[in-house]
Amino acid sequence: MKSIKRKLQDSRRQAHQAFADWLRPKMAAIGIRWRLAARIRLANAWAARHPRRVFAYVTGTLFLLLIGSILSGGKETEEPDVGTIAGMGPMFNGFHTIQANKEIHRTTLMELVTDGQSIREELDSLIAVPHKTHGDSIRIIKRYKQLEHIVKSLNNNEEKNHD
């Protein structure tokens, strides 16, 4: 469960970083066009010269926000929209299916590798026999063809993974 949570956190971090990288030049262009840095410096200089007014403006604004939230009736206690959360179920089921299929694929590949190694060892021992019978030669050819099929399958899988 931790690995899924970590993967989700990493993908969320990557998405945020990609969005921030995309947004940064656009915000810089807006800041240059509207001369925000200069306006902020002027506002800070004015605030340094008029600290009482700044305090009055900030407290007045916060007071008005408090009164507005009290008068709105506290709509923040609404029930969460369960429909959107319930809609995530099929996505998680799909994710679990993909993970299960990946595991089956990985297991099959490992079985192919193990079979290939055992066939290669059998071929080595058959080839090492000094006096081969006709049956030995046929077995060598059959096992060699099996090994070729396993190698082709593994190579095809490797090419698919790189594409």
Side-chain angles (χ1 to χ4, degrees):
M1 188 66 177
K2 278 191 173 188
S3 65
I4 292 174
K5 183 178 179 182
R6 185 171 293 126
K7 285 179 184 178
L8 288 174
Q9 287 175 343
D10 290 343
S11 66
R12 191 179 314 131
R13 240 182 254 118
Q14 287 174 349
H16 174 73
Q17 188 62 40
F19 181 72
D21 291 343
W22 173 80
L23 189 62
R24 191 170 288 120
K26 291 169 181 30
M27 294 306 294
I30 289 172
I32 291 170
R33 184 183 312 147
W34 290 353
R35 298 185 316 267
L36 290 178
R39 291 175 193 233
I40 290 172
R41 276 194 301 275
L42 286 174
N44 285 338
W46 180 86
R49 288 191 311 267
H50 303 94
R52 288 184 182 158
R53 273 193 204 170
V54 172
F55 177 74
Y57 290 153
V58 169
T59 17
T61 304
L62 290 175
F63 183 71
L64 286 174
L65 287 173
L66 176 67
I67 296 298
S69 66
I70 290 172
L71 292 178
S72 70
K75 304 242 181 196
E76 297 171 7
T77 59
E78 292 179 5
E79 292 295 318
D81 186 15
V82 180
T84 57
I85 297 171
M88 299 294 282
M91 186 179 77
F92 283 119
N93 289 339
F95 178 73
H96 291 302
T97 303
I98 290 170
Q99 291 299 326
N101 288 340
K102 279 184 179 180
E103 188 60 35
I104 291 169
H105 185 72
R106 190 176 301 122
T107 305
T108 305
L109 285 176
M110 292 309 295
E111 287 174 0
L112 274 175
V113 169
T114 305
D115 290 346
Q117 288 173 343
S118 66
I119 290 173
R120 193 193 78 210
E121 289 170 3
E122 183 181 347
L123 275 171
D124 288 344
S125 65
L126 282 172
I127 291 172
V129 173
H131 302 290
K132 293 173 196 60
T133 64
H134 179 69
D136 290 339
S137 298
I138 290 176
R139 220 158 98 214
I140 288 173
I141 292 171
K142 283 184 179 180
R143 297 307 262 173
Y144 184 76
K145 287 187 180 192
Q146 286 177 340
L147 187 61
E148 277 183 333
H149 287 300
I150 290 173
V151 169
K152 280 182 188 176
S153 176
L154 290 173
N155 285 339
N156 285 339
N157 183 58
E158 185 174 315
E159 288 173 9
K160 287 179 186 176
N161 286 341
H162 287 302
D163 290 341

